[in-house]
Amino acid sequence: MQENTGVTADYPGDAEVTDDFSLAGVPDAFQRLWTPHRMAYIKGGQNQFSDDDCPFCVAPSRPDKESLIVHRGKTCYVVLNLFPYNPGHLLVCPYRHVPDYTDITVEETAEMAELTQTAMRVLRKVSNPSGFNLGMNQGVAGGAGIAAHLHQHVVPRWGGDGNFFPIIAQTKAVTQTLGEVRQQVADAWPGETELSGETDA
């Protein structure tokens, strides 16, 4: 039995293209992030980067402003995504070139978690998102654009941020330049004393 999708049967041409499941695009329980810009990674394949030019390995060797790094930790660093889903989309990366979450040490795991929490606090402070998507795409089949180097996504979300632009026009409205966002997040990132809970008297 077909679920009532709200589309009337007398819509021109509807009967010829309607199956027993549902129409494409009919609202359902999923929120989708449409990312047509990722096709460059998909079409290029995982071999487009070698260990010598992995962007996550190269970034720490360059100045923070040039690499869009907002914070450097002991085992991991935080960088803006060059192709953000939303403004302020951050990546938490270990310095070591390892592909899988099970490859990192206890120390790296702890710092990655701590930096993810701090990234959420900083983004709340500078841009007041109403939610977040956190996640790691593991392996090619898991959707990792660069599967060879582990990275965790921290994506700020706002109500209504998935509007018609990305879906119809393959356009994402980003309200600030990457440089501006990097500067705001870097400036708001707490210092070591603030991270440890200590404050200057």
Side-chain angles (χ1 to χ4, degrees):
M1 180 174 163
Q2 183 174 348
E3 183 180 58
N4 181 3
T5 61
V7 178
T8 60
D10 58 354
Y11 186 83
D14 186 55
E16 291 81 25
V17 296
T18 303
D19 60 21
D20 290 336
F21 179 68
S22 185
L23 289 174
V26 171
D28 57 24
F30 294 98
Q31 288 189 355
R32 293 174 173 83
L33 288 173
W34 297 89
T35 58
H37 58 269
R38 287 179 58 82
M39 282 305 293
Y41 290 116
I42 294 167
K43 287 181 178 177
Q46 294 299 318
N47 296 327
Q48 63 188 307
F49 300 111
S50 69
D51 290 356
D52 295 331
D53 66 354
C54 168
F56 298 132
C57 290
V58 172
S61 68
R62 297 179 175 153
D64 289 355
K65 193 171 183 178
E66 182 181 333
S67 290
L68 301 176
I69 291 174
V70 299
H71 176 77
R72 293 175 187 256
K74 183 178 178 185
T75 65
C76 302
Y77 69 97
V78 183
V79 63
L80 276 180
N81 190 329
L82 187 58
F83 300 103
Y85 296 142
N86 266 343
H89 179 172
L90 299 173
L91 303 173
V92 182
C93 308
Y95 292 112
R96 288 194 312 127
H97 186 77
V98 293
D100 199 86
Y101 191 54
T102 60
D103 293 330
I104 59 177
T105 66
V106 171
E107 184 181 15
E108 288 168 324
T109 304
E111 186 170 35
M112 188 173 249
E114 181 183 349
L115 292 178
T116 299
Q117 291 177 334
T118 303
M120 291 174 64
R121 291 184 188 107
V122 168
L123 288 169
R124 282 189 179 118
K125 182 178 179 180
V126 300
S127 57
N128 197 30
S130 52
F132 289 91
N133 290 118
L134 304 176
M136 298 178 210
N137 299 324
Q138 294 284 268
V140 178
I146 302 173
H149 196 126
L150 179 69
H151 52 284
Q152 165 134 297
H153 295 263
V154 181
V155 184
R157 299 297 305 275
W158 295 268
D161 63 11
N163 58 38
F164 70 94
F165 267 8
I167 299 165
I168 294 176
Q170 292 190 343
T171 301
K172 181 69 181 179
V174 179
T175 56
Q176 290 179 292
T177 67
L178 291 174
E180 290 171 338
V181 174
R182 191 212 74 82
Q183 193 63 56
Q184 279 187 332
V185 174
D187 289 347
W189 201 274
E192 294 304 316
T193 56
E194 293 171 278
L195 285 173
S196 66
E198 300 170 15
T199 55
D200 294 333

